Amino acid sequence: MAGTKLRFGAFIAPFHPLDENPTLAIERDLELVQWMDRLGYDEAWIGEHHSAGYELIASPELFIATAAERTRQIRLGTGVSSLPYHHPLMLADRINQLDHITRGRVMFGAGPGALPSDARMMGIKVAQQRDMMDEALDAIVALLRGETVTRKTDWFTLDEARLQLTPYSRPSVEIAVASQVSPTGARAAGRLGLGLLSIGATSVGGFNALASNWAICEEMATSHGQSVDRSGWRLVGPVHIAETREQARQNVRFGLEKWIYYFREVAALPLAPMEGDPVDALIASGLAVIGTPDDAIAQIERLERQSGGFGAFLQLAHNWAAFEQTKRSYELMARYVFPRFQELNTNRRASLEWARDNHAALLAEQVQAVGSRVVQHIQEKGTENISPEILAMLPGQGPAKPA
């Protein structure tokens, strides 16, 4: 019997350097989601950012509405909506509308906001963002589940608020909370019975915190009368693969340095120190896969051992390689990595092994069946049109004789 099917997707911030046309960059993100849909990826999560120039998507909802029109089956999530930037009723209403527009393909990812530069422009103190997220998340979850909410905080008021549309998905869209190293996301996910998005799962700190964060999530769920499931836990990590390790390393020279520059100098997000060749450093730290499908398999197996099990692996989208090479990397994941974790070839392998093990007997039966028909023909018509090779297969037959 088949086991649990690991899902695959992408976490698309995105990251676009300043030397290219931003209109075309956003279009390429849409093309990537279309490509993933054709390859059979399960999910794509779209970020929200408002400053720093690289992460161009300000409204994941607008992107999702566009992508939904261009795709057939891939599920589309906000990855993530920054809750302190939105009134809870307005954000919940937009997500609920997307639930109907996409016929249930939308997912809601929530977080406090990743870029302090975003918060500063809106007059939000970074120290308050996580408390604001918790306050908004409580309200949004209740609204998306069809409840009426009355609540007053120092930054929003809800007065008998409710969504006017019954959710398309019941009891609501799937909801997940972003988590990195701190327990903030794990606590919120457990307290409300939500999924968990471990965005920095392959960073040193994030990797080391995987098991403890899930334990916190489960403990909080139990103490609040909720339940959580590992199938709703998603781990994120960067990947670029090619047919050989040498080709993968060559491919990422295209844009890796610009990505590193953004994280080190602009985004105010942690990136481990990297001495020497950045490709070697990323691989050695475990942060990234730059190699072959086998290297991607090894990374996911490593995450499985560390975490104890999870439901989906999301590739952190990047522009390390040219777009055609990036698309090829996603294709190689679908062709050679998915089957390892989704048991796609289990029955095929069993069938091949059975046919191999019974090859001699099956071949004998085939020869006997063909031979009987040849004998029947000879008895009726003689051997005039029978080739010597076929006659040689018949027991007791020597060289062909005239009819």
Side-chain angles (χ1 to χ4, degrees):
M1 181 176 180
T4 302
K5 177 184 175 183
L6 184 69
R7 303 185 308 281
F8 287 86
F11 193 87
I12 304 172
F15 302 107
H16 294 300
L18 269 61
D19 58 355
E20 63 175 294
N21 186 324
T23 307
L24 298 181
I26 294 173
E27 180 63 30
R28 192 167 69 245
D29 293 330
L30 288 164
E31 291 177 14
L32 177 61
V33 175
Q34 291 175 266
W35 181 238
M36 291 170 61
D37 186 53
R38 288 196 290 271
L39 291 173
Y41 278 79
D42 300 282
E43 307 175 355
W45 295 77
I46 314 303
E48 174 193 353
H49 304 89
H50 304 278
S51 62
Y54 265 48
E55 301 174 80
L56 299 180
I57 297 172
S59 171
E61 301 101 328
L62 286 175
F63 186 99
I64 288 169
T66 305
E69 285 292 301
R70 302 187 185 186
T71 55
R72 297 177 56 192
Q73 63 185 19
I74 192 169
R75 301 183 71 208
L76 303 162
T78 63
V80 295
S81 296
S82 300
L83 301 196
Y85 307 162
H86 306 276
H87 189 284
L89 179 62
M90 296 297 98
L91 181 54
D93 221 2
R94 293 198 298 270
I95 297 300
N96 201 37
Q97 180 178 330
L98 272 180
D99 188 30
H100 285 266
I101 289 174
T102 64
R103 298 294 194 272
R105 282 199 282 149
V106 73
M107 303 171 290
F108 179 56
L115 297 179
S117 49
D118 287 357
R120 180 172 179 175
M121 291 195 301
M122 287 177 270
I124 297 171
K125 294 181 179 179
V126 174
Q128 296 176 339
Q129 283 182 262
R130 281 146 189 83
D131 291 337
M132 294 172 72
M133 183 198 79
D134 286 339
E135 291 171 339
L137 187 61
D138 288 351
I140 291 172
V141 169
L143 288 167
L144 288 174
R145 290 175 177 172
E147 300 175 20
T148 300
V149 181
T150 296
R151 193 161 305 179
K152 185 175 180 62
T153 72
D154 60 2
W155 67 284
F156 72 81
T157 297
L158 292 168
D159 186 3
E160 295 186 6
R162 64 180 300 165
L163 302 183
Q164 62 181 348
L165 287 178
T166 301
Y168 184 91
S169 302
R170 308 296 174 84
S172 79
V173 300
E174 185 178 359
I175 304 171
V177 187
S179 172
Q180 294 220 41
V181 177
S182 83
T184 302
R187 289 178 61 86
R191 180 169 55 83
L192 296 169
L194 309 176
L196 192 62
L197 269 168
S198 292
I199 297 174
T202 59
S203 67
V204 174
F207 181 81
N208 292 336
L210 286 176
S212 60
N213 269 344
W214 185 254
I216 290 168
C217 184
E218 288 185 319
E219 181 182 355
M220 290 293 291
T222 299
S223 62
H224 286 81
Q226 302 284 354
S227 62
V228 290
D229 194 300
R230 287 179 180 269
S231 66
W233 189 12
R234 295 162 172 90
L235 272 55
V236 181
V239 173
H240 180 82
I241 57 176
E243 284 77 2
T244 66
R245 289 179 175 175
E246 293 72 20
Q247 184 63 53
R249 293 172 67 93
Q250 181 180 336
N251 289 352
V252 301
R253 303 292 181 189
F254 173 84
L256 179 58
E257 289 286 356
K258 296 173 184 176
W259 183 87
I260 292 173
Y261 166 79
Y262 176 70
F263 273 92
R264 275 184 168 171
E265 307 295 336
V266 180
L269 295 171
L271 188 66
M274 291 185 291
E275 302 296 333
D277 188 315
V279 175
D280 290 338
L282 285 171
I283 295 171
S285 69
L287 175 64
V289 174
I290 302 172
T292 67
D294 285 342
D295 294 317
I297 289 170
Q299 175 78 307
I300 296 170
E301 290 175 338
R302 173 175 170 260
L303 290 168
E304 285 183 327
R305 290 191 297 270
Q306 179 70 8
S307 67
F310 54 95
F313 177 74
L314 308 179
Q315 297 170 237
L316 180 67
H318 48 69
N319 287 284
W320 293 354
F323 190 47
E324 288 305 315
Q325 295 165 342
T326 297
K327 289 175 65 178
R328 179 61 173 164
S329 174
Y330 278 75
E331 180 184 357
L332 291 173
M333 285 285 293
R335 291 179 64 184
Y336 300 113
V337 181
F338 288 15
R340 166 63 181 78
F341 299 97
Q342 296 181 339
E343 299 188 354
L344 298 181
N345 290 324
T346 300
N347 287 357
R348 292 178 66 200
R349 182 172 294 106
S351 181
L352 182 145
E353 291 173 354
W354 178 85
R356 178 200 62 202
D357 294 344
N358 291 277
H359 177 260
L362 293 170
L363 181 60
E365 291 180 20
Q366 178 77 351
V367 170
Q368 183 178 1
V370 172
S372 66
R373 281 304 182 100
V374 173
V375 169
Q376 180 182 347
H377 178 81
I378 291 173
Q379 291 172 345
E380 294 177 1
K381 301 292 185 178
T383 60
E384 181 178 356
N385 295 317
I386 303 298
S387 69
E389 292 80 9
I390 293 179
L391 284 174
M393 294 172 59
L394 303 178
Q397 296 291 322
K401 298 177 182 179

